[in-house]
Amino acid sequence: MSSGEGTASTSGAVTIRSVNGGEAGSSGVLMFSSGSSSGGNSGSVLLGSGAAAANGRGGLVVVSVGSGTSGAGGSLQASSGRSTTATGGAV
């Protein structure tokens, strides 16, 4: 899935979202994950912004968690993979 290229101006946008939940429910879940592998490397999930041309600014990547009104706000978790033969991944 990709947006259209803008050769003279801004390229298009891609929005993926779940809609709002009702008064007594929760909003939906968005999950992005790669599959596991039984004999090789697992897949990758990449999140990033494009590079800027001369005199331009790089893009912005925002990861945010919602606030709560009757309890704690949401949590943000980041973890790296472990390795049985080398150094584990970094966060």
Side-chain angles (χ1 to χ4, degrees):
M1 178 183 334
S2 62
S3 68
E5 178 180 0
T7 56
S9 185
T10 306
S11 65
V14 175
T15 301
I16 302 172
R17 68 183 294 260
S18 66
V19 295
N20 299 333
E23 202 171 299
S26 301
S27 62
V29 173
L30 297 178
M31 175 186 274
F32 301 95
S33 64
S34 65
S36 59
S37 172
S38 59
N41 299 329
S42 65
S44 298
V45 176
L46 306 175
L47 176 66
S49 65
N55 299 321
R57 293 185 302 209
L60 174 67
V61 175
V62 176
V63 178
S64 62
V65 178
S67 22
T69 59
S70 62
S75 298
L76 177 64
Q77 292 183 322
S79 61
S80 61
R82 69 182 188 93
S83 174
T84 57
T85 60
T87 302
V91 174

